[in-house]
Amino acid sequence: MSKILKFIRFERAAKKTVFAAWLMQAVLSHVWVFMATIYLVFGLAASYGQATSNLLWSDDFEDGDADGWLFYDDATGSSNWFVEGGYLNQISDIGANSLGTHAVAGLASWDNYTLSANLISTDDDYIGVLFRYQNAGNYYRLVISSQAGRIYLQKRVEGILETMDQLTMMWPLCTYNIAVDVQNDSITVYLNNEQYFAVLDTSFEAGRVGFTTIYNNGSFFDDIEVYDRLDIQPFDNSLVINRGPYLQNVLGDSATVMWRTNLHTNSIVEYGLSEAVTELVGITTATKNHEIVLRNLLRDQEYVYRVFSNAEVSEWSTFRSAKLPNDPYSFALLGDNRTNFMRHGEISAAIAEETPDFLINVGDVVQYGPRPDWDTEFFNPMADLIKSMPIYVSIGNHEKESRNFSEYFAFPDPDHEHYYSFEYGNTFFIFLDNNIAAYPTADYPALDEESDQYAWLEEQLGSAAAQDAEWLFVLGHVPIYSVGTSNNYPINRDLILPLLLDYGVDIYFAGHIHDYERGFSEGLHHIISGGAGGPLNHQVRALPEITEYAANYHYCMIQVSGSVVGFQIKDKHQNLLDQFVIAKDHVSISDNEPVQPQQLKLYNYPNPFNASTMVAFSLPQPGEYTITIYDIMGRPIKVLAEGFAQAGTYWLHWDGDDSQGQIVPSGIYTCHIRTASGSTQIKMSYLK
C-alpha cells in the first residue's frame, strides 16, 4: 500500500552529506550563495544539534490492530475507531461542538519529546493530535478544520478548553504531517515541516500522545512516532509531476491530456501509435495545471503517450481513441466517492478489470471543493484508471462551485464548464449543474425558466444532435425521484422533468443519495449511483417511481449496442447487485406499458462475459419457442429455455454451463432461438 511521506527522521549521516553538498556548491558559486549557505548551516546546527534523535515509540498500524490504544468519547454519541488498510480510522460524526472523540497511547511519564504523525482528513471538520495527555480533562491539542478555516493550539485544564494560539486560514490539504516539539515550557508546532506556532506554557509537564476528531467522519491516522528531541527534515521543493497524467474528452478525432506539477513549468506531450514513432505537442506558457489537446487521431486505435514538464517526464501510458459512431461502446458510472478514499480505490480497481471506454462520475468527488487537494479523495484512488480512459464529471454540491472544478477538468465546450454536452457513439449526453434543486437557498446556478442554464438545456435537448441520436441521456448530481430522502426536489420535478419528457430523454442518471436506485416512470428511466465512497444511506421510503434499491458501495457497467442498453450493477467485490436491459423497440416513451415487439430479436449482455450473461429475446407474436446454446463446432450443449409465451420481451441467464451442469471451456458460443414465425442467432464470447 502506498503510504504518505514521513517528514520526520533526518539522520546525522544524511545531514553530513547534505551539508557537504551545500558547502561545495557555495564554494563554487557566487559569494551571496556562500553567505546564505553559512547562515543556513548555523540555523541547522542550532535546530538539529550534534546528536541524532532517538525513536522512543511508534505505531504504523500495519499489524491491523489498535493494541495499546485507549478511546474516549467526549460528546453524545458513539465513535467508530478501527484499523483498516494500515490506518487508524474514525468515521463517525460524533461531537458537533468543541469536543468529539479521541484516542491515546504511550507513557504518562514522557516529558520532553517530539511527536510526529501523518493525518488524512477527507471530511473537512476538525481533526488533530493530542500531547502531554494526562487524562480526559487535561491535555494539549492541535486541531485543524478546512471548512471552518481555523487552526487551533489549545489546552484543556480540568475540563475547561482554552485557546493558546490560532490561525484563520483554510488548510489546503487532506493529507499532511503534524510535528509538535515539547521541551520544558516550550511548545512548537510544525505542519509539513513549516513552523506555525511557538508558545510557552507550564500547565502540563508530561503525558501520553494521541489523536482527536470532532464531527469528522473521514479521519485517518498513520505513522505516529515519538522522539526524544526535534529532528525536522528540510522540505524538498524540487519539480515533480504530482498528479496524472489523466485523460479528458476522448471524442471524435481528439483527446485531452492533463497533469499537475508543484511548480510552474511548460507542457509537452509525446504520443503516437507506438513508442518508436511519435509526435510532440506543447505549450511554452508556464503553469501548474497542464492541458494539451491531441488532434487528428485515428478512430478506435490504441495510442501511447507520456508528458514532460521541463526535465520531469512521466512513464508511458496508453489510451484508445474514440470509437466509430455506430460501434458498440461501454462506460462505467459511479458517484459520491468523497470521504472514503479506500472504498473509492476498491471501486476503481474493480472498474479497471472491466475496461470500459470511458467513465462518468455523477458528482461529489471531494468533500470540500474549495480545498485544492483533490488528490487524496479523487485523483489518487483512480490514477491507474484515468491515465488510460477519460472521465466526465457532473458537478456535485460538495464541489461548492469551486474554480478547482474548472481548472482540474477539461470540457468539450470551454464556454460551458459546469454544464455541458457531448456525443459518443449513437448517444447524446447532457450534464447539468442542478445542485440548487437540493439546496434552493444556496448560491448555486439557477435552473428556473428565466435562467441561462434552462435555456441552454432546452436548446441542447431540441438540437439535431440530440434528437437524431439513438439514445439521449441526461446526468445531474441531484435526482428527480429517490427513496433515500424525504426531499421531493420540486425544482427537478416541476421544471426539469417536463423538459426531459417532452424531448424524449431515455435515462436520467444522478447521485447525491449514497445508495443504488432505479425506476421507470412516464417513459423515463431513473438511475441513482451514489455508492463510490461516501457514507452509505440506509433511509428508505416508498415511491412508485423507484422499484430497486441497495445500500452498497457499487458502480454501474453500461454497454450500449445499437438500440439495446445493458446494465450490470456490481459491488466493490464485483458481486452482481442488479442486472437489466433497456431495448428501444419495446419500451413505450409515453407511458409505463410495453409495446408489442415488431420483430423477433435476440441479444445478450454483457458480451464478452466471464461469469454469467443475461439473454433477452423479443417475440412479435404468441407461440412456441426454443433457445439453444451451441459450441463453436455447432454441437448443441444446452437448451436454455423452451415453451410457450405471449408476445413481449423476456430475459434469462446463462451461467456458462452445459446440460449436465458442468462449466464449459472459454470460447465462442452461438445462442439460437427458433419460433413458428422464424429464427435468429447471436455469438457470445465466454471468458473464464
Side-chain angles (χ1 to χ4, degrees), residues 391-662:
I391 186 166
Y392 306 93
V393 180
S394 178
I395 190 170
N397 58 284
H398 277 267
E399 278 75 88
K400 303 291 184 185
E401 298 297 319
S402 164
R403 69 178 185 179
N404 293 326
F405 185 82
S406 299
E407 291 181 359
Y408 296 166
F409 300 117
F411 302 91
D413 181 357
D415 293 331
H416 295 93
E417 296 185 325
H418 289 198
Y419 49 92
Y420 57 97
S421 65
F422 64 83
E423 295 178 72
Y424 196 96
N426 63 354
T427 310
F428 194 78
F429 292 84
I430 298 175
F431 288 69
L432 298 179
D433 182 348
N434 68 345
N435 295 300
I436 198 167
Y439 305 98
T441 61
D443 187 22
Y444 291 117
L447 260 178
D448 59 81
E449 293 174 311
E450 305 302 318
S451 68
D452 291 341
Q453 185 177 185
Y454 186 94
W456 173 88
L457 173 60
E458 188 164 25
E459 183 272 327
Q460 292 291 305
L461 289 169
S463 67
Q467 291 301 305
D468 291 345
E470 181 82 25
W471 294 96
L472 180 51
F473 298 160
V474 175
L475 304 98
H477 179 63
V478 180
I480 296 173
Y481 300 109
S482 171
V483 299
T485 177
S486 59
N487 194 333
N488 288 323
Y489 306 123
I491 291 177
N492 275 352
R493 292 195 188 184
D494 298 341
L495 297 178
I496 303 306
L497 179 59
L499 276 183
L500 306 189
L501 298 179
D502 287 346
Y503 286 96
V505 173
D506 297 295
I507 306 175
Y508 177 72
F509 297 94
H512 192 55
I513 310 301
H514 298 175
D515 58 25
Y516 164 71
E517 303 179 36
R518 75 170 167 97
F520 180 78
S521 177
E522 301 179 274
L524 179 65
H525 294 268
H526 299 265
I527 306 293
I528 296 175
S529 181
L536 291 175
N537 172 72
H538 297 282
Q539 173 185 343
V540 181
R541 62 172 173 163
L543 281 181
E545 294 84 1
I546 300 296
T547 57
E548 299 293 331
Y549 159 87
N552 288 76
Y553 293 110
H554 72 277
Y555 63 97
C556 305
M557 278 300 303
I558 300 163
Q559 185 173 25
V560 181
S561 181
S563 61
V564 177
V565 178
F567 289 77
Q568 284 194 319
I569 291 77
K570 299 181 180 181
D571 68 13
K572 62 183 182 178
H573 303 297
Q574 295 188 313
N575 297 316
L576 200 62
L577 302 177
D578 191 18
Q579 182 171 247
F580 61 99
V581 167
I582 300 172
K584 251 313 168 60
D585 60 353
H586 45 77
V587 175
S588 170
I589 63 171
S590 59
D591 54 44
N592 202 15
E593 295 298 322
V595 301
Q596 180 171 313
Q598 299 301 304
Q599 60 182 337
L600 178 67
K601 293 192 70 175
L602 181 67
Y603 43 90
N604 75 300
Y605 174 78
N607 192 21
F609 67 100
N610 62 7
S612 68
T613 187
M614 181 165 55
V615 178
F617 60 99
S618 298
L619 302 176
Q621 59 191 41
E624 301 285 341
Y625 71 93
T626 302
I627 299 176
T628 308
I629 307 293
Y630 295 87
D631 66 15
I632 197 169
M633 302 301 295
R635 295 172 297 208
I637 64 168
K638 183 174 184 176
V639 174
L640 194 60
E642 59 183 343
F644 177 90
Q646 299 292 335
T649 298
Y650 307 87
W651 52 83
L652 42 91
H653 290 85
W654 181 43
D655 296 326
D657 58 340
D658 60 18
S659 59
Q660 305 301 314
Q662 301 297 312

Side-chain angles (χ1 to χ4, degrees), residues 206-436:
R208 294 177 290 174
V209 296
F211 301 117
T212 185
T213 74
I214 305 159
Y215 204 49
N216 189 313
N217 63 15
S219 307
F220 306 87
F221 305 95
D222 192 21
D223 297 325
I224 184 168
E225 299 168 329
V226 177
Y227 293 87
D228 62 351
R229 61 175 58 85
L230 178 66
D231 203 0
I232 301 291
Q233 177 177 339
F235 183 71
D236 181 5
N237 197 36
S238 57
L239 174 66
V240 294
I241 297 173
N242 54 12
R243 177 187 301 162
Y246 57 100
L247 293 170
Q248 300 273 271
N249 301 330
V250 181
L251 302 168
D253 64 351
S254 66
T256 301
V257 179
M258 299 189 74
W259 69 100
R260 183 174 171 85
T261 52
N262 62 323
L263 303 176
H264 287 81
T265 70
N266 58 356
S267 312
I268 299 173
V269 175
E270 181 181 9
Y271 71 102
L273 293 172
S274 72
E275 295 179 17
V277 182
T278 61
E279 298 180 47
L280 293 175
V281 59
I283 299 174
T284 58
T285 304
T287 182
K288 290 184 177 181
N289 294 307
H290 305 267
E291 180 179 332
I292 295 288
V293 180
L294 313 182
R295 304 186 187 279
N296 301 316
L297 303 176
L298 299 176
R299 300 293 287 267
D300 198 17
Q301 297 294 314
E302 185 173 275
Y303 281 83
V304 298
Y305 77 99
R306 60 180 176 176
V307 304
F308 294 82
S309 287
N310 289 353
E312 285 297 297
V313 57
S314 72
E315 296 179 349
W316 286 102
S317 299
T318 63
F319 72 92
R320 196 160 196 90
S321 55
K323 289 190 172 178
L324 293 166
N326 295 322
D327 287 349
Y329 71 91
S330 65
F331 65 95
L333 179 80
L334 68 162
D336 297 85
N337 57 267
R338 67 172 179 87
T339 311
N340 197 316
F341 61 91
M342 286 190 280
R343 298 292 84 79
H344 185 206
E346 292 166 342
I347 294 294
S348 297
I351 293 174
E353 297 184 18
E354 308 271 9
T355 63
D357 293 297
F358 57 89
L359 311 167
I360 288 179
N361 190 302
V362 286
D364 278 4
V365 300
V366 292
Q367 171 71 14
Y368 188 52
R371 180 169 52 185
D373 179 8
W374 288 30
D375 297 280
T376 300
E377 296 171 274
F378 180 71
F379 286 104
N380 289 347
M382 59 185 348
D384 289 340
L385 264 181
I386 58 179
K387 70 181 180 182
S388 297
M389 61 189 70
I391 186 166
Y392 306 93
V393 180
S394 178
I395 190 170
N397 58 284
H398 277 267
E399 278 75 88
K400 303 291 184 185
E401 298 297 319
S402 164
R403 69 178 185 179
N404 293 326
F405 185 82
S406 299
E407 291 181 359
Y408 296 166
F409 300 117
F411 302 91
D413 181 357
D415 293 331
H416 295 93
E417 296 185 325
H418 289 198
Y419 49 92
Y420 57 97
S421 65
F422 64 83
E423 295 178 72
Y424 196 96
N426 63 354
T427 310
F428 194 78
F429 292 84
I430 298 175
F431 288 69
L432 298 179
D433 182 348
N434 68 345
N435 295 300
I436 198 167

Side-chain angles (χ1 to χ4, degrees), residues 86-304:
Y87 296 93
L88 177 62
N89 298 242
Q90 204 294 118
I91 58 171
S92 71
D93 264 338
I94 182 174
N97 51 34
S98 62
L99 296 172
T101 179
H102 64 270
V104 295
L107 301 178
S109 60
W110 287 340
D111 50 10
N112 295 333
Y113 57 82
T114 297
L115 162 68
S116 168
N118 292 328
L119 283 70
I120 300 179
S121 176
T122 52
D123 195 355
D124 49 346
D125 291 295
Y126 285 100
I127 185 173
V129 297
L130 309 178
F131 52 98
R132 282 187 175 169
Y133 180 97
Q134 297 187 347
N135 54 52
N138 295 278
Y139 53 79
Y140 295 112
R141 76 176 188 179
L142 178 86
V143 291
I144 299 174
S145 170
S146 293
Q147 182 181 42
R150 294 288 191 274
I151 304 176
Y152 288 114
L153 178 60
Q154 299 174 319
K155 61 181 178 180
R156 193 178 188 200
V157 181
E158 300 301 328
I160 304 300
L161 198 64
E162 176 184 339
T163 296
M164 299 186 293
D165 205 347
Q166 64 177 299
L167 287 173
T168 301
M169 62 173 290
M170 183 191 71
W171 183 247
L173 302 173
C174 295
T175 300
Y176 54 95
N177 173 269
I178 295 177
V180 180
D181 184 54
V182 285
Q183 301 294 331
N184 301 317
D185 62 350
S186 174
I187 302 173
T188 310
V189 175
Y190 299 83
L191 300 176
N192 280 2
N193 299 348
E194 293 187 21
Q195 181 177 312
Y196 277 76
F197 297 118
V199 301
L200 299 176
D201 191 85
T202 59
S203 298
F204 309 116
E205 296 180 353
R208 294 177 290 174
V209 296
F211 301 117
T212 185
T213 74
I214 305 159
Y215 204 49
N216 189 313
N217 63 15
S219 307
F220 306 87
F221 305 95
D222 192 21
D223 297 325
I224 184 168
E225 299 168 329
V226 177
Y227 293 87
D228 62 351
R229 61 175 58 85
L230 178 66
D231 203 0
I232 301 291
Q233 177 177 339
F235 183 71
D236 181 5
N237 197 36
S238 57
L239 174 66
V240 294
I241 297 173
N242 54 12
R243 177 187 301 162
Y246 57 100
L247 293 170
Q248 300 273 271
N249 301 330
V250 181
L251 302 168
D253 64 351
S254 66
T256 301
V257 179
M258 299 189 74
W259 69 100
R260 183 174 171 85
T261 52
N262 62 323
L263 303 176
H264 287 81
T265 70
N266 58 356
S267 312
I268 299 173
V269 175
E270 181 181 9
Y271 71 102
L273 293 172
S274 72
E275 295 179 17
V277 182
T278 61
E279 298 180 47
L280 293 175
V281 59
I283 299 174
T284 58
T285 304
T287 182
K288 290 184 177 181
N289 294 307
H290 305 267
E291 180 179 332
I292 295 288
V293 180
L294 313 182
R295 304 186 187 279
N296 301 316
L297 303 176
L298 299 176
R299 300 293 287 267
D300 198 17
Q301 297 294 314
E302 185 173 275
Y303 281 83
V304 298

